[in-house]
Amino acid sequence: MTTGAVPADESPEVLLTRLVAPHADAWDRAGAIPDEVVRALAAAGVLCAEVPGKWGGLGLDPLAHGRLTAHAGTLCASVRSLMTSQAMVAWALTRWGDAEQRERFLPRLATGATAAVAFSEAGAGSDLGAMRTTVVDQGATVRVDGAKVWTTGGTYADLVLVFGRHGDGTAMVLVPTDTPGLTVTRRPDPSGCRAAGHADLRFDGVVLDRSHLLPGAGAPLSFVGQSVLAAGRLSIAWGCLGMIRSCLREAVRHARVREQFGQPLYRHQLVARHLGETRAAEQSLLRLCEHASRSWSEGVPEMFDAALVAKHVGATAAASAASAAAQVLASAGARDGHPVARALRDAKLMEIIEGSNEICQLQLAEQAMGVYA
Ligand SMILES: Cc1cc2nc3c(=O)[nH]c(=O)nc-3n(C[C@H](O)[C@H](O)[C@H](O)COP(=O)(O)OP(=O)(O)OC[C@H]3O[C@@H](n4cnc5c(N)ncnc54)[C@H](O)[C@@H]3O)c2cc1C
C-alpha cells in the first residue's frame, strides 16, 4: 500500500482511520504493519502525541491523548500497542531525561523515529527485580549486557529504552537499534496484537556514549520502573476502552439485523444483557480513564494509582466485552480476520501485560491497605 502525503490539516484521528482501519485485519494475519505506515504515523507525531509543540510534537494533553489512544484501540490493537510503547519512552524522557536528552531525542520521536521499551527477560516477567541485564557506568561510556524478551515494537524501533541493573538499583539507557552488539530477533506468531512487532533483544557488550544513560541511575526499580509502567497502564486502559467500543459496535450491528425465533437477537433478553453489561463497562471505564488522565494533567500523587485502577478494570472489561461480543455474533464472528475474533485474542493479552491481573490485584490490595488500614 502507499500512504500518500499526509495533508497538513488532517487530524490525528482522521489519519489513523485512513491509514489503519481498512488494513488492520490484513496486518493482523500477516503479522506486520508495512514500514511506510509505521513511518507515516511516527512522522505525524501520532505515536507519542503528548510531546509538546516546542519539540515538534502534537502537544496533546493526557485527556486528548487518551481519546486518541482509544480511537486507535477501536481500529487496531497492534497500532495502539506501538503508541503505548513510544508514549512510554517519550514520557520517561520527559520525566527522567536531562535537558540535553530531551532536546536530542524528543524531536526525533515526535517526527519520525520509533521507540520501544524493554523490561522483561526470560527469568523476569512479573518479578522484574530478577532482571539480569546490566548497565555498567564506564565513565565516558556505558556498557549494556543481557537479553530482553517480548519487546513490543522491537522490530520497528530505532531506539529502545532498556532497563537494567545498576549497582543496587536500576538504570534506564536509550539504545539505538543499530548499535553494534545489539541483536533484534522477531518473536514469531504471537497469539494477539500480532502485528505489533514483538522482538527479543540481545545485548553483547553494547557500548554507548554516557549521554544515552538517563539520570537517576541506581534508583530503586520500584521508583523508576513503576512510573514508566504507569504511563503504559494509562495508555492501555484507553486502548481497552477502544476495544470495548469496537466489540459493542459489532455486537449491536449484528443483534439488530440477525433474527432468530421471529425477532432480532437484541429483543431476546439474554442477548440484550450482553449488550447492556458491555455498555455499562464502556461507560464506567470511560470515567476511570478520564479521571486518571486528569490526575496526570494535574500531576497529583494519586496519578499512578488512578492509572493502575483504570488498567486493571479496562483489561478485565475488554476481555469480557470481547467474549460477550463473540457470544452475540456466534458463527458470524467465528472466523479469523473478524474484528471480534481479533479482539478476543488481543484483549486477553491486556490481562497479562503491564502488570498481569494478579500483579495489579496485589498492588490494588496494597492501595486498599494504605487507604483503609
Ligand atoms: C503481547 C505482549 C507484549 C509485551 N510487551 C512487552 C514490552 O513491550 N516490553 C517488555 O518489557 N515486556 C513486554 N511483555 C512481557 C510482559 O510484560 C510479561 O509477559 C508480563 O510481565 C508477565 O510476565 P510473564 O509472561 O513472564 O509471566 P509470569 O511472571 O511467569 O507469570 C505467570 C502467571 O503467574 C502469575 N504470577 C506471577 N507472580 C505472581 C504472584 N506473585 N502472585 C500471583 N500471581 C503471580 C502471573 O500473573 C501470571 O498469571 C509483553 C508480553 C506480551 C504477551
Side-chain angles (χ1 to χ4, degrees):
M1 70 173 287
T2 53
T3 53
V6 175
D9 58 350
E10 189 171 42
S11 75
E13 285 83 359
V14 172
L15 175 72
L16 275 166
T17 306
R18 179 170 67 79
L19 291 187
V20 177
H23 309 289
D25 285 321
W27 297 342
D28 189 61
R29 270 178 281 171
I33 303 167
D35 207 46
E36 63 179 291
V37 175
V38 177
R39 290 290 156 199
L41 294 173
V46 169
L47 297 184
C48 51
E50 262 180 52
V51 172
K54 66 177 171 179
W55 289 308
L58 296 175
L60 300 191
D61 65 27
L63 194 54
H65 187 208
R67 289 178 178 142
L68 183 66
T69 307
H71 180 60
T74 63
L75 305 174
C76 175
S78 293
V79 167
R80 198 276 310 144
S81 298
L82 299 187
M83 290 171 72
T84 296
S85 295
Q86 183 133 342
M88 287 168 81
V89 178
W91 191 84
L93 274 165
T94 309
R95 167 69 183 81
W96 296 97
D98 61 29
E100 194 211 311
Q101 288 167 336
R102 286 186 217 136
E103 290 296 336
R104 183 172 162 201
F105 293 112
L106 286 173
R108 288 184 58 197
L109 291 182
T111 60
T114 48
V117 186
F119 287 94
S120 305
E121 301 180 5
S126 300
D127 178 13
L128 289 176
M131 260 183 221
R132 295 171 69 94
T133 297
T134 53
V135 177
V136 176
D137 200 335
Q138 304 186 129
T141 59
V142 285
R143 177 181 165 130
V144 186
D145 287 280
K148 297 290 180 183
V149 296
W150 276 104
T151 305
T152 298
T155 62
Y156 306 112
D158 300 311
L159 293 163
V160 185
L161 182 67
V162 181
F163 284 74
R165 303 181 81 85
H166 182 92
D168 292 337
T170 304
M172 285 180 281
V173 60
L174 208 47
V175 182
T177 49
D178 59 1
T179 309
L182 169 55
T183 313
V184 178
T185 308
R186 180 175 181 269
R187 193 161 258 272
D189 305 324
S191 63
C193 302
R194 287 172 174 171
H198 305 110
D200 294 345
L201 314 177
R202 268 204 69 78
F203 301 86
D204 293 306
V206 169
V207 176
L208 295 152
D209 186 87
R210 201 174 193 289
S211 60
H212 290 254
L213 181 69
L214 269 64
L221 174 66
S222 56
F223 187 50
V224 192
Q226 289 301 330
S227 75
V228 179
L229 278 173
R233 285 176 179 159
L234 180 55
S235 174
I236 287 174
W238 281 102
C240 287
L241 178 66
M243 250 189 263
I244 294 170
R245 287 176 170 163
S246 148
C247 289
L248 195 50
R249 184 184 57 215
E250 295 296 328
V252 164
R253 285 181 182 167
H254 185 68
R256 278 185 64 223
V257 297
R258 169 76 171 164
E259 294 195 358
Q260 287 292 278
F261 302 97
Q263 48 183 351
L265 289 179
Y266 80 89
R267 291 215 181 272
H268 297 293
Q269 291 177 337
L270 292 178
V271 174
R273 187 185 60 178
H274 287 304
L275 305 180
E277 291 292 345
T278 306
R279 171 69 174 162
E282 182 245 332
Q283 286 291 297
S284 29
L285 180 57
L286 171 62
R287 266 72 202 179
L288 285 177
C289 287
E290 287 176 342
H291 167 70
S293 281
R294 289 196 180 102
S295 307
W296 281 65
S297 286
E298 293 159 10
V300 292
E302 303 78 44
M303 63 193 246
F304 299 131
D305 286 354
L308 172 64
V309 172
K311 188 273 171 182
H312 182 57
V313 171
T316 50
S320 298
S323 174
Q327 197 68 23
V328 171
L329 281 141
S331 61
R335 65 173 167 81
D336 208 10
H338 191 285
V340 169
R342 188 153 49 91
L344 258 182
R345 293 185 278 99
D346 296 341
K348 182 61 208 169
L349 293 179
M350 300 305 109
E351 297 192 301
I352 291 169
I353 61 169
E354 229 67 35
S356 64
N357 279 1
E358 291 78 8
I359 296 303
C360 290
Q361 285 161 342
L362 291 172
Q363 293 188 3
L364 287 165
E366 271 174 39
Q367 250 187 51
M369 294 299 287
V371 175
Y372 294 105

